[in-house]
């Protein structure tokens, strides 16, 4: 696709700006609570009730804000911008309705968490129970995102009618794959919330089927991670080669990768429940195989993006097996997106390897519920997702407001500081995890205090390194936040248009079956039936229905009534 400048209608400019800036504001809470967890774990602050927030309340804010609110609002805003840029303008009323639903949902859920009525972590695993407002807020956020997605479909179909025989722009393949994965993921979430959790949270029924609700949660929870990843992959395929000064090595590889995510993102959630004794090993094994399958498109991405970077480097005279690495624009303040994207890729090399370790049934037994797992997801969610989303937020803010970036030289440091902090964090948490350091701790002082019976010498240095890393990550975010605010305070001097750096393909082969979504949607349904119909049927029979509520604020569970 040729690069172009696209005017943005004023209502869409306002909607996109709020959708990317509100999460950045909320990230202050999310990232701050991340740092507090590391300081508490190391015993540097003595109480988990720092600033009046309970440990689990802070951890819930950290997870929900960073992993759910920030990502969903950003993905929708980025989708709106790419659809407008590549295809045309979606319905104005649908854009407003989706925006209002998502904002109301975010505010309602945030009030429940801040009031201490929803300290259930982002997984809201029953029998932990939150106030109904928390689930209603989450539902509104999801419905709002659906309205936005479905408002893009007619624009796409219209574009296809007007451009017969043309390939769908790769950016749109990225956006639609992201939201097909999101829709697939959020249907089981809706079932869990509407039919199991809400009636129980309102007190209309006494107990809940814990196993069924957890299976439904992970039916949502693993494709969710690809919903976080795919906008970053869209930026890597569509923009990074151009930012590096070259072309996308293979357009077909990009289309293949996005289509594979459509059918392999979801049939594998049980790898989060390997340790759950009620689920048969057969289904864990099948989900494990699918999990290894979904790593393949990421391996292809590693190759295609590295080849694109090498090609760009060769154009600038980069030679040899490794010497070309030195020709890339790592510290160019005008081309800051390169650094944000590149650091995310480096972190994902580690995140990918640790993910594959997690997916092995036997190795998962060593690392499950240890600090290894946060080590993994801070190099995935906190790697490509966080850095691509925050970098693109800067790009969208400057494009949509016509303001020049403030502190451009300081901004270049942000992703590298984040890279160092997150790498240190991952190293310390993973190493601690291998010697059993717990994933969550409400007893940080006792683990690192030599006078406590729970003291573990192995976990002192890991906790201390994590604390240093937590401060570095917070510092990186603080500089980023300052850049955003200072940019917003500038006067507009540039045109308020969208001008994405879209890369041309080096190899632009016909993409065959990978130009059409339909076969992959059908494959997705078949795989989902294979992977989920038997376990869901097993646990829907009522045997497991009677678990009572549990709350971290009043941790004495009500007695469980046995069924006759
Ligand atoms: Fe994961 C747990 C398995 C990817 C996020 N994961 C989590 C949790 C989160 C998360 C949040 O099988 C915790 C959930 C909870 O609260 O309990 N994960 C995987 C596997 C992959 C994977 C196999 N995860 C992700 C992504 C995430 C994410 C992506 C967020 C964005 N994960 C697991 C498992 C668990 C788990 C188990 C359960 C653990 C437990 O027991 O609780 C794969 O999809 C990863 C494939 C990735 C690769 C890497 C490709 C590398 C690339 C970079 C190339 C670099 C370049 C730069 C080009 C194969 C693309 C080169 C530069 C030069 C100059 C040369």
């Amino acid at each position: 696709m040729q690069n172009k400048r696209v005017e943005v209608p004023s209502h869409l400019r306002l909607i996109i700006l709020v959708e990317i800036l509100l999460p950045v504001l909320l990230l202050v809470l999310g990232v701050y609570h991340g740092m507090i967890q590391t300081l508490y774990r190391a015993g540097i602050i003595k109480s988990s009730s720092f600033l009046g927030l309970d440990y689990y309340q802070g951890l819930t804010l950290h997870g929900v804000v960073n992993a759910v609110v920030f990502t969903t609002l950003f993905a929708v805003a980025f989708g709106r911008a790419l659809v407008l840029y590549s295809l045309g303008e979606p319905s104005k009323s649908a854009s407003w309705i989706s925006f209002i639903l998502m904002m109301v949902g975010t505010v309602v859920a945030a009030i429940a968490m801040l009031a201490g009525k929803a300290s259930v972590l982002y997984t809201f695993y029953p029998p932990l129970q939150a106030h109904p407002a928390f689930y209603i807020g989450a539902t509104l956020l999801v419905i709002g995102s659906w309205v936005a997605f479905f408002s893009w479909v007619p624009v796409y179909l219209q574009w296809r009618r007007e451009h017969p025989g043309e390939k769908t722009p790769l950016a749109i393949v990225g956006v639609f794959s992201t939201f097909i994965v999101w829709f697939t993921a959020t249907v089981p979430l809706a079932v869990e919330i509407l039919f199991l959790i809400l009636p129980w949270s309102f007190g209309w029924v006494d107990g809940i089927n814990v196993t069924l609700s957890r299976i439904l949660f992970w039916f949502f929870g693993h494709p969710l991670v690809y919903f976080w990843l795919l906008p970053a992959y869209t930026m890597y395929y569509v923009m990074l080669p151009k930012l590096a000064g070259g072309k996308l090595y293979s357009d077909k590889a990009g289309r293949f990768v996005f289509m594979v995510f459509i059918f392999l993102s979801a049939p594998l959630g049980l790898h989060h429940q390997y340790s759950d004794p009620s689920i048969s090993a057969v289904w864990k094994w099948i989900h494990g195989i699918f999990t290894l399958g979904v790593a393949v498109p990421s391996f292809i991405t590693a190759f295609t993006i590295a080849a694109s970077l090498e090609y760009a480097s060769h154009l600038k005279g980069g030679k040899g097996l490794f010497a070309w690495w030195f020709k890339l624009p790592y510290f160019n303040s005008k081309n800051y997106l390169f650094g944000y994207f590149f650091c995310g890729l480096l972190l994902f090399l580690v995140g990918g390897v640790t993910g594959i370790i997690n997916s092995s049934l036997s190795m998962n037994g060593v690392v499950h519920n240890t600090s290894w797992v946060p080590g993994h997801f801070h190099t995935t969610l906190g790697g490509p997702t966080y850095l691509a989303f925050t970098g693109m937020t800067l790009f969208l803010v400057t494009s949509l407001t016509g303001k020049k970036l403030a502190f451009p030289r300081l901004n270049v440091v942000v992703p590298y500081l984040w890279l160092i902090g997150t790498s240190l964090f991952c190293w310390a948490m993973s190493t601690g995890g291998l010697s059993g350091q717990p994933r969550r701790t409400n007893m940080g002082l006792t683990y690192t205090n030599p006078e406590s019976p729970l003291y573990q010498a192995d976990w002192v240095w890991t906790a201390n390194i994590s604390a240093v890393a937590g401060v570095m990550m917070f510092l990186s975010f603080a500089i980023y936040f300052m850049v955003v605010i200072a940019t917003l305070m500038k006067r507009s001097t540039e045109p308020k248009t969208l001008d994405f750096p879209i890369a041309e393909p080096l190899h632009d082969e016909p993409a065959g079956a990978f130009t059409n979504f339909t076969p992959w949607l059908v494959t997705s349904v078949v795989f989902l039936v294979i992977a989920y119909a038997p376990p869901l049927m097993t646990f829907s029979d009522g045997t497991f229905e009677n678990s009572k509520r549990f709350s971290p604020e009043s941790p004495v569970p009500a007695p469980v009534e046995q069924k006759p």
Side-chain angles (χ1 to χ4, degrees), residues 386-410:
Y386 171 81
L387 284 172
F389 287 22
T390 46
M392 183 49 62
T393 296
L394 283 181
F395 178 86
L396 288 172
V397 165
T398 50
S399 303
L400 295 173
T401 60
K403 300 179 182 202
K404 283 198 174 149
L405 191 76
F407 306 117
R409 298 227 171 107
L410 199 55

Side-chain angles (χ1 to χ4, degrees), residues 233 236-237 240-241 244-250 253 297-315 318 320-322 324-326 328 330 338 341-342 345-346 348-349 506-507:
Y233 270 18
Y236 294 162
Y237 276 100
L240 181 60
K247 295 184 176 183
L248 172 61
Y249 189 74
S250 166
S298 287
F299 281 121
I300 295 174
T301 302
F303 171 79
T304 313
I305 300 302
S308 308
L309 296 180
E310 185 178 3
Y311 173 77
S313 206
H314 283 189
L315 291 181
L321 200 54
F322 300 110
W324 62 268
W325 290 5
F326 299 100
L328 293 171
Y330 300 108
F338 182 89
F341 292 175
F342 181 77
L345 280 165
L346 287 187
F348 197 43
L349 279 173
L506 179 61
H507 299 290

